Amino acid sequence: MPIPNPTEAGTSPARGTATGPVAALFDAVAITIFVVIGRASHEEGYAPVAFLHTLWPFLVGCAAGWSITYVYAHVRSSDFFGHDFRPDRVVPVGIVIWFCTVTVAMILRFILSQGVAVSFVAVATVTLAVFLLGWRAVFAYLGRRAADR
């Protein structure tokens, strides 16, 4: 029985690919780092309830983006059981996930009176773009580099 080569399937940064669960974990970690940096810059502390109070709207927004892109990949698929969902792609998946993360989080924060100052929206938009699209761009670069070999 042949031993599968880990660089041929699944997640491999060297090949520029990430499976769904790994990509979701990368997004969750990126959002968590964003919240940690934000709370540290405002000296708000890291009490678990307060931290989760800040974190959850962004995770819900990210989940909305994931849901939209996942369903869209299946709807446009020609094979009923197949799909071409690649959560590690910058375009269109990463863009939609980033947009939904920011938009849904800001709507939830507004509804719950958590604060949506224009400066916060701008910083969140740019920082989350760097984080959520950045790891995808690195994977794409590594994938192109591996293909050139």
Side-chain angles (χ1 to χ4, degrees):
M1 177 175 204
I3 298 172
N5 184 347
T7 61
E8 290 180 6
T11 299
S12 172
R15 290 190 62 230
T17 60
T19 59
V22 172
L25 179 65
F26 281 10
D27 283 346
V29 168
I31 292 168
T32 302
I33 291 169
F34 162 73
V35 170
V36 166
I37 292 170
R39 291 190 66 82
S41 68
H42 295 286
E43 299 175 2
E44 293 178 341
Y46 301 104
V49 172
F51 182 79
L52 291 174
H53 185 70
T54 305
L55 179 66
W56 78 265
F58 294 97
L59 292 178
V60 168
C62 186
W66 268 80
S67 299
I68 290 167
T69 56
Y70 184 81
V71 168
Y72 180 74
H74 281 76
V75 166
R76 71 176 187 178
S77 174
S78 59
D79 180 14
F80 184 73
F81 291 104
H83 61 85
D84 59 354
F85 181 59
R86 288 279 312 275
D88 56 349
R89 289 188 178 155
V90 175
V91 177
V93 177
I95 300 288
V96 172
I97 290 171
W98 162 65
F99 179 81
C100 288
T101 299
V102 173
T103 304
V104 171
M106 294 307 156
I107 291 169
L108 289 172
R109 288 178 62 86
F110 177 78
I111 291 170
L112 300 171
S113 301
Q114 289 186 4
V116 288
V118 173
S119 59
F120 173 68
V121 173
V123 168
T125 300
V126 171
T127 305
L128 287 170
V130 170
F131 287 178
L132 295 176
L133 301 177
W135 75 260
R136 288 175 169 86
V138 168
F139 267 58
Y141 169 76
L142 294 173
R144 284 190 303 272
R145 203 170 116 201
D148 290 343
R149 288 187 199 167

